């Protein structure tokens, strides 16, 4: 009688880093040649646990150094807990637990929540990484997703046609510290949508189909950096993480040499302790130079490789690309080409970043940023502000959107000259930037018009900075008008509706003589006159204003 293992084969599909274009990991997919082992495994936790263990053993036969993604049903974890068979397979394969990501898949219905969370906590404590798989095409409750606190969230590609849902999941990942991946990507349009949504990883037929042998070469379509959203403080280091070549801290120089000579793409090896914490960093060129010198192999081959290594350079997973550059710049100049280890909150290595990746991406982002800046004030245009408005809407975060302009600006240009008018605009821009807090975005959308996006609590400081100051151009006294719409969570659906609510408030502010400030609330009639003559309330809200 044939065993189920006789008819079960495994295929490998690359998980691609959308920023670097490299392969970040391999997902091991079970491919039964007869019968339906997976359907049985869904009902039989013991069988599912054995399939997961067999997947790791199959990967060991392929001699791949890449991290692995292993599938397991949520019900299996809740029933079996620590997955003894899988842990033993990882040990026998010579793998470290932090090289294994468990892709926990649906169904979640009727799975005991407490038992599942307890099993996940135990596996995470041992070093396994946790991925919530099939989000958007499964039945994982949002509350359970938050409680799982996964290191990775995999979205089904079908969600890409619903940008608001993807943005919301991207915001969830940003706040929870998880990476976002899209699976099932088949077209270049889907890839572009995944990048625009802020996904760091993806997999699917477009990049490489599942294959019996692990694929190192994948197709990644060129994506304009203009579609990627770069945070104000710089892109996250998570976007640039590559798999790390890891060996135990006790590894001999001969073992490191064998790994490097057999893997030409590996730029260095990290030596880690039993917990996965980097203790030494071995640079490829310097190490091989030492080993290839006269008597080098005889001197070092059987000695600990740590003697030929350096203290590791590390950054946390929450660091930005700029912080990585600070680490590199603050060290020895001879080590500028060394990989920088990325570590989790327990100090365990989750991968490495290469300086070349960071410099290339930051240069591209600066070029794109510069292209979108107003040449007069060097402030971003409306696109940067509206994109941030949509992110705050998706995150259900309250915000205040303001429109500021100079009263009768044409008279200023006609009476004082365009040079005086330009200097006035630059001065207003400088004051707005100086008054802005970390959570405030200032944009110059052309002419004398500015947009200010702020948290509701930061309004008074910005308003006072521009409305209380005496303004003049070429000796002509000048006043400013400010209109603000407060948007509570759910009050508007996108930046277009927020702008539609703001338009009548701007008209009301311009109708008042002198410096003025009108404040309204999205979805509610009426407004307040915060500065300027007139009653404290008037009828000019956006109410049910149509969205263009």
């Amino acid at each position: 009688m044939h065993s189920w293992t006789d008819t079960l084969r495994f295929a490998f599909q690359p998980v691609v880093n959308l920023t670097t274009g490299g392969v970040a990991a391999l997902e091991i997919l079970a491919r039964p040649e007869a019968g339906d082992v997976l359907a049985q495994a869904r009902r039989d936790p013991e069988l599912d646990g054995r399939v997961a263990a067999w997947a790791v053993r199959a990967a060991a036969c392929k001699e791949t150094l890449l991290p692995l993604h292993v599938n397991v049903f949520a019900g299996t974890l809740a029933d079996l807990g620590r997955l003894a068979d899988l842990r033993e397979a990882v040990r026998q394969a010579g793998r470290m637990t932090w090289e294994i990501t468990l892709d926990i898949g649906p169904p979640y219905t009727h799975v005991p929540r407490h038992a599942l969370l307890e099993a996940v906590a135990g596996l995470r404590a041992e070093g396994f990484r946790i991925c919530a798989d099939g989000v958007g095409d499964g039945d994982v409750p949002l509350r359970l997703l938050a409680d799982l606190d996964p290191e990775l969230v995999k979205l089904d590609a079908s969600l890409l046609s619903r940008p608001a849902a993807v943005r919301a999941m991207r915001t969830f990942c940003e706040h929870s510290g998880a990476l976002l991946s899209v699976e099932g990507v088949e077209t270049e349009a889907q890839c572009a949508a995944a990048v625009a949504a802020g996904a760091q990883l993806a997999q699917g037929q477009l990049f490489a189909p599942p294959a019996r042998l692990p694929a190192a070469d994948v197709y990644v379509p060129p994506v304009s950096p203009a579609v990627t959203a770069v945070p104000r403080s710089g892109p996250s280091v998570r976007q640039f993480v590559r798999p790390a070549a890891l060996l135990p801290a006790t590894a001999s120089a001969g073992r490191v040499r064998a790994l490097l000579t057999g893997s030409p793409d590996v730029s260095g090896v990290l030596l880690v302790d039993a917990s996965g914490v980097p203790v030494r960093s071995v640079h490829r060129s310097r190490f091989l130079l030492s080993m290839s010198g006269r008597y080098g192999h005889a001197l070092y081959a059987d000695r600990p490789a740590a003697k030929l290594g350096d203290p590791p350079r590390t950054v946390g997973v929450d660091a930005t690309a700029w912080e990585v550059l600070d680490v590199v710049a603050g060290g020895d100049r001879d080590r500028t080409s060394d990989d920088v280890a990325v570590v989790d909150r327990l100090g365990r290595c989750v991968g490495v970043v290469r300086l070349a990746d960071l410099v290339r991406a930051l240069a591209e982002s600066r070029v794109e940023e510069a292209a979108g800046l107003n040449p007069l004030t060097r402030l971003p245009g409306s696109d940067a502000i509206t994109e941030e408005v949509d992110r705050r809407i998706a995150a259900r975060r309250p915000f205040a959107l303001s429109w500021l302009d100079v009263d009768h600006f044409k008279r200023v240009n006609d009476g004082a000259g365009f040079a005086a008018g330009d200097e006035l605009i630059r001065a207003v821009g400088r004051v707005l930037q100086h008054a802005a807090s970390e959570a405030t975005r200032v944009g110059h959308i052309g002419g004398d018009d500015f947009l200010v996006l702020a948290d509701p609590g930061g309004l008074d400081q910005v308003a006072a900075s521009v409305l209380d100051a005496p303004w003049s151009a070429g000796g002509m006294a000048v006043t400013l008008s400010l209109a603000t719409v407060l948007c509570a969570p759910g009050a508007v659906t996108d930046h277009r509706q927020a702008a539609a609510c703001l338009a009548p408030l701007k008209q009301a502010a311009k109708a008042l003589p002198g410096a003025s400030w009108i404040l309204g609330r999205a979805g509610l009639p009426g407004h307040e006159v915060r500065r300027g003559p007139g009653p404290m309330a008037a009828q000019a809200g956006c109410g049910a204003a149509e969205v263009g």
Side-chain angles (χ1 to χ4, degrees):
M1 181 177 179
H2 289 291
S3 166
W4 61 270
T5 58
D6 295 333
T7 60
L8 185 63
R9 301 293 181 264
F10 292 93
F12 301 86
Q13 186 170 50
V15 179
V16 176
N17 185 314
L18 292 173
T19 299
T20 66
V23 179
L26 294 170
E27 181 174 355
I28 315 173
L29 302 168
R31 292 289 186 263
E33 295 183 348
D36 196 347
V37 173
L38 297 183
Q40 298 176 45
R42 186 180 291 110
R43 299 186 297 269
D44 184 348
E46 291 285 350
L47 176 58
D48 189 36
R50 292 199 297 273
V51 170
W54 197 253
V56 172
R57 295 189 179 99
C61 298
K62 306 302 181 182
E63 298 183 351
T64 175
L65 295 174
L66 289 166
L68 304 175
H69 284 238
V70 179
N71 292 283
V72 63
F73 291 112
T76 297
L77 286 183
D79 189 82
L80 296 184
R82 297 294 186 87
L83 296 178
D85 286 348
L86 175 64
R87 289 156 61 206
E88 178 61 19
V90 171
R91 186 191 65 79
Q92 291 176 355
R95 286 283 191 164
M96 300 178 184
T97 53
W98 53 88
E99 297 178 273
I100 310 297
T101 297
L102 298 178
D103 286 7
I104 305 175
Y108 288 86
T109 304
H110 307 307
V111 173
R113 177 176 170 275
H114 179 75
L116 174 60
L117 295 178
E118 189 176 71
V120 166
L123 290 165
R124 178 178 281 125
E126 293 180 33
F128 289 98
R129 306 196 186 283
I130 303 300
C131 166
D133 198 4
V135 175
D137 194 39
D139 61 346
V140 55
L142 285 178
R143 178 185 172 189
L144 179 59
L145 182 63
D147 290 340
L148 285 173
D149 193 22
E151 283 81 17
L152 175 65
V153 172
K154 283 189 178 181
L155 290 184
D156 188 84
S158 62
L159 271 190
L160 293 174
S161 62
R162 298 167 176 81
V166 180
R167 286 197 299 269
M169 192 53 58
R170 169 64 175 160
T171 301
F172 168 84
C173 290
E174 287 177 347
H175 286 282
S176 65
L179 291 176
L180 181 64
S181 180
V182 178
E183 55 185 351
V185 175
E186 297 182 353
T187 66
E188 294 194 6
Q190 286 181 322
C191 179
V195 174
Q200 295 98 347
L201 304 172
Q203 61 189 103
Q205 294 283 344
L206 175 67
F207 310 107
R212 292 294 173 86
L213 294 177
D217 295 325
V218 294
Y219 168 72
V220 182
V223 180
S224 168
V227 302
T228 57
V230 179
R232 191 180 189 186
S233 56
S236 169
V237 72
R238 296 170 185 270
Q239 296 177 224
F240 308 97
V241 174
R242 292 177 176 265
L246 305 175
L247 285 176
T250 55
S252 68
R255 185 176 178 186
V256 171
R257 182 178 183 275
L259 189 156
L260 291 175
T261 54
S263 307
D265 293 335
V266 173
S267 55
V269 176
L270 287 174
L271 305 179
V272 296
D273 66 15
S275 299
V277 176
V279 293
R280 300 294 283 179
S281 174
V282 178
H283 184 267
R284 180 187 188 90
S285 298
R286 293 197 300 273
F287 175 83
L288 292 179
L289 186 63
S290 297
M291 290 291 287
S292 61
R294 192 175 185 184
Y295 308 122
H297 189 273
L299 285 173
Y300 298 116
D302 296 325
R303 301 182 67 186
K307 293 185 178 296
L308 295 175
D310 299 288
R313 291 175 168 177
T314 62
V315 295
V317 292
D318 296 323
T320 66
W322 294 110
E323 291 175 277
V324 179
L325 292 185
D326 288 340
V327 170
V328 173
D332 188 339
R333 290 186 179 181
D334 294 336
R335 296 186 60 195
T336 53
S337 62
D338 286 21
D339 293 341
V340 177
V342 182
V343 298
D344 63 14
R345 53 182 173 266
L346 298 178
R348 301 174 302 194
C349 180
V350 300
V352 296
V353 291
R354 295 179 181 176
L355 182 62
D357 291 337
L358 300 185
V359 173
R360 186 183 307 111
L362 291 175
E364 289 173 347
S365 69
R366 281 300 171 92
V367 169
E368 293 297 325
E369 181 184 355
L373 296 180
N374 187 287
L376 184 61
T377 59
R378 309 304 295 167
L379 289 172
S382 60
D383 287 349
I385 305 300
T386 55
E387 288 171 3
E388 179 62 23
V389 167
D390 285 337
R391 281 194 286 271
R392 297 194 187 192
I393 291 172
R396 299 190 62 79
R397 177 179 171 185
F399 63 89
L401 183 63
S402 299
W403 191 321
L404 175 78
D405 69 353
V406 178
D407 296 328
H408 310 296
F409 184 65
K410 186 176 184 301
R411 297 181 190 174
V412 173
N413 274 343
D414 291 344
F418 71 87
D422 286 351
E423 182 52 41
L424 173 64
I425 296 302
R426 281 192 288 265
V428 172
R430 287 194 296 268
V431 169
L432 284 173
Q433 281 186 297
H434 182 74
S437 66
E438 184 64 28
T440 302
R441 301 294 303 274
V442 178
H444 182 194
I445 61 177
D448 62 323
D449 292 315
F450 294 85
L451 279 178
V452 181
L453 175 64
D455 288 339
L459 277 175
D460 289 336
Q461 179 180 347
V462 174
S465 69
V466 290
L467 298 181
D468 291 347
W471 295 100
S472 64
M476 296 177 57
V478 174
T479 57
L480 307 182
S481 294
L482 180 67
T484 299
V485 59
L486 293 176
C487 298
V492 291
T493 57
D494 60 16
H495 68 270
R496 296 178 184 84
Q497 191 173 4
C501 291
L502 187 56
L505 299 174
K506 179 192 176 186
Q507 295 176 6
K510 299 295 288 183
L512 297 176
S516 61
W517 180 18
I518 294 293
L519 184 145
R521 289 170 173 77
L524 298 177
H527 64 255
E528 299 177 25
V529 179
R530 288 291 186 93
R531 298 287 177 93
M536 292 304 292
Q539 295 300 315
C542 74
E546 293 185 7
V547 180

